[in-house]
Amino acid sequence: MAKSEREIQRLLTLLAFLNRQQGRPVDQVAAELGTSTKQLLQDLDQLCLYGVPPFGPDDYFLATVDEDNRLEMAFTEQFKAPLHLTPQEAVALRLALLPLTGEAGGSYGQLIAGILRKIDRALLPQDRQAVDQLDEGLAIAPAERDTVPLMETLRRARRDQRRVEITYYSGSSGEVGRRRIDPYGFVLFGGSWYAVAFCHKQEAIRTFRISRIKEASISTDGYGIPDDFDIAQYAGGHIFRPTGREQDVELWFSPAVARWILERSALAKRNRDGSATMVLKASNFAWIARWILYYGPEAEIVRPAGAQQELLKILDSPSP
Amino acid sequence: MAQSKTTRLLDLIALLLARTVPVTKERIRTGIPGYGELEGESFDRVFERDKNELRTLGIPLKAYAIADRAEVSDPRAAARLGKECGYLIDRAEYFLPQLDFSVEEWAAISLAGPAAARLKDKDLSAALHSLMQKVLCQRPAGAAARPEVGLAPGQRADTAAESANLAKLQEAVRDNIRCEFTYYTIKRDTAAKRQADPYVLVYNGGIWYLIGHCHLRGDDRMFKVSRISGLKLLRSAPRFTIPGGFDKKQFLGRKAWQFAAGPPQEVVLEVPPEHRWLVKHELQDSAVWDDKKGIARIMVRNPDPFVRWACANWDRARINAPRELARLVEQRVERTRARYAPAAGTVRHG
């Protein structure tokens, strides 16, 4: 798409958006549009040049920002709604959200599928056919069988704000234990679901991989989600909050397996001899030990000694 | 022309959207300052380009005969026949209909933002961004429910290649267009050019795969989308048809050891009760369980990934049969242990 086309598209949508935003702060409007305040003000300047024939004084678009930084506009009535969706937009949304229908499964997967159906219905008939044809060519793996009912329980608990008691295998410590948690939200990371919840054992917000929960039961105790909690912050940065006890863990991979590691992780670096090295921060080593064991003698925990011991603990256990 | 092209196009849209009677080309020329002093052929050229640009954006700009208001597909041909034409933007098609999202759906669609970040392709991200802006125009003030789910950006090093290929492959899969590309076979560390008929894009465990008929191998193959490079859609080649017996569902949710690399063999795994639920989670549908005996039976077609899994789960599960596979795991465990034995004389790294 040419620059002028992109600009037109943006300005047309802006006009429709502004139609309902009279009197709102500029910064808020920009944030909601996913654009910067600077870009929004530039776009408003651009729009002030435009009007409809016969171009009388009332036929021009006018935007003003008052002393409280609030937007006031005239002449947006004509663009009361945005332009219909294009097939390219519908396809992009499909590729982005369709994986979630499988990854989430259950009621959340259905929620996403419902959104996609509504978007489909809003397309022009000729565009709808193209999107349907694409669906024929896509296949999404379903969620792990056991994860779906657990996710349902945790979603219900969050909706009703009821504390949950779980039996949980901690991948970081390698131990199974009981915890009481208040689910605040969920994050999808690397194809797995995690619950972000307040853990009463650790008295802090912790991340729980849902497929590592053995059992979950909703209690009668209520809880509230703090006003400043934002799931997007967990998803955007580190879903595992640092505890302050992290150490550098250095891993080495032989040239025979290095290319898989380099493809898989942006943290891995290729060495001159074709092997790969990766340094990551971790406070618990059990999950690293298991991961390294997949590569057997083709990989090694170089440091720290604690992580090596974790690996040897698994190997020295008598095979059941 | 004093005004910018953007302003001229916006003026044109506003004019044709506001009128209910088709506007003739002459009215457009004199009514929109952006066309300035343009006349005759030079105006025609600019106007044709403008019409095309608006149509590219999806704006339903249509031509109608002034006399009977019938839609005209080729206004220039109509003009040659002496029919006067005018233009309008079809309001019934222009506006996005009401989507009527529920509060829950409004919260969930906010995921499209981070989902766009997961799709590391410029065009896909731009299309998603513009969709979101249009959709947000309809969000009622009270629908600012707190999102329940977040999407973490992937940490894979190959996401950008995956997204760029996905953007092109979706068209090939949709319209049955043969493709040509170079595929990197990671196991052999070699790359070869090939042609394939792309049947279906499969999303499995956070990764996109392409299943198609490979003309180099003369057989159906699975390709990891991120390992494809130099992708070309052969639009002039005849469109292929997918064979009748092809079932896209057979590729879903498979474990690495279920993909054929050799003859299938049944593996019997013994798992003590305290580890059973965890191992069940790991093996999913690839195992058939006998809970009384604490035994799982798994059909293994590719032993290598299964041996790796068994090594990583050494303390949780033991292979009872076949004996050769159990021995492979034992040897692997011994060799791994030797890496950490101080007196073993192995070369340490770091």
Side-chain angles (χ1 to χ4, degrees):
Chain A
M1 200 180 273
K3 186 173 165 252
S4 66
E5 288 169 11
R6 277 201 304 273
E7 195 174 41
I8 298 258
Q9 197 173 46
R10 195 177 66 236
L11 294 176
L12 285 176
T13 310
L14 181 62
L15 281 168
F17 193 81
L18 293 178
N19 207 13
R20 312 165 57 127
Q21 311 291 326
Q22 295 282 8
R24 294 194 55 205
V26 182
D27 300 351
Q28 240 181 52
V29 172
E32 256 182 65
L33 268 171
T35 187
S36 65
T37 306
K38 192 178 158 205
Q39 177 73 60
L40 177 61
L41 292 174
Q42 265 175 17
D43 286 348
L44 289 172
D45 274 349
Q46 168 96 12
L47 283 174
C48 285
L49 290 171
Y50 125 91
V52 272
F55 300 104
D58 294 337
D59 294 331
Y60 281 92
F61 174 80
L62 186 69
T64 49
V65 178
D66 69 12
E67 62 271 24
D68 294 328
N69 222 17
R70 286 172 196 282
L71 264 178
E72 292 297 340
M73 274 138 323
F75 188 69
T76 55
E77 183 53 30
Q78 198 166 14
F79 296 99
K80 60 183 193 308
L83 180 61
H84 66 84
L85 303 175
T86 65
Q88 290 86 341
E89 290 165 349
V91 163
L93 186 74
R94 244 176 173 62
L95 293 176
L97 290 191
L98 204 59
L100 288 176
T101 60
E103 282 169 333
S107 55
Y108 198 77
Q110 282 161 16
L111 180 70
I112 298 287
I115 290 177
L116 292 174
R117 269 198 306 277
K118 285 185 178 174
I119 292 283
D120 262 12
R121 279 206 296 273
L123 292 173
L124 297 178
Q126 60 269 32
D127 298 338
R128 202 175 302 156
Q129 198 190 349
V131 174
D132 287 348
Q133 238 167 297
L134 170 65
D135 273 358
E136 292 283 306
L138 299 178
I140 308 294
E144 290 182 339
R145 195 163 28 104
D146 316 339
T147 311
V148 177
L150 288 165
M151 182 83 178
E152 295 297 297
T153 303
L154 293 174
R155 280 195 78 211
R156 208 168 53 240
R158 179 190 176 274
R159 194 194 58 210
D160 301 340
Q161 310 227 324
R162 292 270 171 258
R163 193 158 294 156
V164 190
E165 190 150 318
I166 59 170
T167 310
Y168 183 69
Y169 166 81
S170 162
S172 50
S173 70
E175 281 160 20
V176 179
R178 292 188 64 76
R179 319 257 185 121
R180 283 179 308 133
I181 62 167
D182 304 341
Y184 288 175
F186 306 95
V187 173
L188 186 63
F189 172 70
S192 295
W193 278 103
Y194 294 83
V196 178
F198 184 83
C199 172
H200 288 269
K201 186 178 164 190
Q202 284 160 309
E203 294 185 330
I205 297 175
R206 287 282 179 269
T207 309
F208 300 89
R209 187 164 161 182
I210 294 183
S211 65
R212 292 284 180 257
I213 297 175
K214 187 181 178 187
E215 286 156 347
S217 56
I218 301 178
S219 76
T220 50
D221 301 343
Y223 68 90
I225 301 176
D227 287 340
D228 60 351
F229 177 79
D230 179 8
I231 192 71
Q233 277 181 6
Y234 275 79
H238 299 278
I239 71 162
F240 306 103
R241 293 274 134 149
T243 60
R245 286 177 283 114
E246 280 72 20
Q247 292 181 52
D248 279 349
V249 179
E250 185 178 340
L251 307 170
W252 174 88
F253 300 90
S254 84
V257 296
R259 45 189 189 276
W260 278 273
I261 301 298
L262 290 161
E263 184 182 60
R264 190 186 150 127
S265 173
L267 283 177
K269 302 273 173 284
R270 188 191 294 277
N271 299 322
R272 215 178 278 173
D273 63 356
S275 64
T277 297
M278 189 170 162
V279 179
L280 45 90
K281 292 208 180 295
S283 56
N284 284 302
F285 309 126
W287 69 271
I288 296 175
R290 267 191 215 275
W291 179 51
I292 286 302
L293 280 175
Y294 269 90
Y295 298 97
E298 302 296 341
E300 189 178 310
I301 298 173
V302 180
R303 68 189 157 104
Q308 295 175 338
Q309 280 153 16
E310 200 67 50
L311 182 142
L312 289 169
K313 198 169 91 188
I314 296 168
L315 295 187
D316 290 340
S317 317
S319 181
Chain B
M1 278 175 274
Q3 281 182 300
S4 78
K5 184 174 161 194
T6 304
T7 309
R8 184 178 77 229
L9 291 174
L10 279 174
D11 286 346
L12 181 60
I13 298 167
L15 173 67
L16 299 182
L17 204 54
R19 297 289 188 267
T20 49
V21 177
V23 188
T24 62
K25 231 161 71 166
E26 185 53 22
R27 277 286 182 89
I28 291 171
R29 188 183 72 80
T30 53
I32 291 179
Y35 290 118
E37 303 302 309
L38 288 175
E39 278 180 35
E41 275 184 28
S42 47
F43 167 70
D44 281 354
R45 261 198 315 276
V46 174
F47 184 56
E48 279 306 306
R49 272 207 304 267
D50 286 357
K51 281 194 296 181
N52 286 338
E53 212 158 295
L54 294 190
R55 284 176 181 143
T56 310
L57 285 168
I59 293 173
L61 187 148
K62 294 178 179 176
Y64 300 89
I66 297 285
D68 60 1
R69 298 275 187 95
E71 196 179 334
V72 172
S73 58
D74 186 350
R76 279 203 280 197
R80 280 197 293 275
L81 295 171
K83 256 194 197 176
E84 199 188 1
C85 292
Y87 295 87
L88 278 182
I89 289 173
D90 186 341
R91 294 173 68 87
E93 284 191 10
Y94 179 92
F95 294 112
L96 173 66
Q98 275 300 318
L99 294 163
D100 295 322
F101 284 148
S102 65
V103 174
E104 230 183 354
E105 285 170 333
W106 277 118
I109 200 169
S110 65
L111 282 182
R118 282 216 293 191
L119 290 174
K120 289 194 189 336
D121 177 73
K122 203 168 73 255
D123 293 338
L124 287 177
S125 299
L128 253 183
H129 186 68
S130 106
L131 175 137
M132 276 312 285
Q133 292 203 334
K134 288 178 184 178
V135 167
L136 282 176
C137 292
Q138 293 190 1
R139 185 163 73 181
R146 202 195 313 227
E148 149 187 33
V149 168
L151 276 184
Q155 291 186 334
R156 295 191 65 94
D158 58 353
T159 321
E162 181 181 74
S163 294
N165 286 328
L166 201 59
K168 287 189 190 171
L169 281 171
Q170 59 85 14
E171 187 195 341
V173 162
R174 188 186 67 204
D175 296 339
N176 292 15
I177 304 171
R178 182 176 293 186
C179 293
E180 185 179 85
F181 53 83
T182 300
Y183 190 68
Y184 172 58
T185 308
I186 196 165
K187 197 163 182 180
R188 289 195 295 274
D189 198 18
T190 56
K193 203 176 214 177
R194 51 181 102 198
Q195 289 191 0
D197 296 340
Y199 290 171
V200 60
L201 284 163
V202 172
Y203 186 79
N204 208 352
I207 293 168
W208 283 98
Y209 299 90
L210 173 71
I211 315 280
H213 184 81
C214 173
H215 291 279
L216 182 72
R217 305 274 174 235
D219 198 4
D220 292 351
R221 283 284 190 275
M222 181 154 110
F223 304 99
K224 197 172 189 177
V225 170
S226 66
R227 291 180 192 153
I228 289 173
S229 60
L231 174 63
K232 268 191 237 146
L233 271 58
L234 305 177
R235 289 194 175 80
S236 53
R239 301 290 151 104
F240 64 86
T241 45
I242 300 175
F246 178 81
D247 176 17
K248 63 183 184 182
K249 292 208 178 77
Q250 64 177 308
F251 300 100
L252 298 178
R254 279 208 210 170
K255 294 284 178 190
W257 49 82
Q258 291 177 299
F259 287 99
Q265 54 179 324
E266 190 188 70
V267 175
V268 181
L269 204 63
E270 194 179 324
V271 186
E274 67 271 26
H275 296 307
R276 212 168 290 157
W277 71 277
L278 206 53
V279 174
K280 276 186 180 177
H281 261 318
E282 294 260 329
L283 299 177
Q284 290 288 316
D285 290 333
S286 75
V288 178
W289 287 84
D290 179 339
D291 279 324
K292 270 190 195 149
K293 293 184 185 157
I295 276 171
R297 293 173 195 279
I298 303 128
M299 204 50 86
V300 171
R301 291 167 182 275
N302 186 2
D304 182 59
F306 193 79
V307 166
R308 290 170 184 279
W309 179 87
C311 187
N313 288 280
W314 175 252
D315 54 338
R316 294 174 179 159
R318 187 180 69 207
I319 295 177
N320 279 0
R323 196 54 220 136
E324 309 79 68
L325 210 64
R327 225 182 332 265
L328 277 176
V329 175
E330 284 157 19
Q331 285 166 1
R332 205 174 158 80
V333 163
E334 278 320 304
R335 279 168 40 226
T336 307
R337 193 186 276 121
R339 275 211 163 270
Y340 301 90
T346 45
V347 180
R348 297 294 313 276
H349 293 273

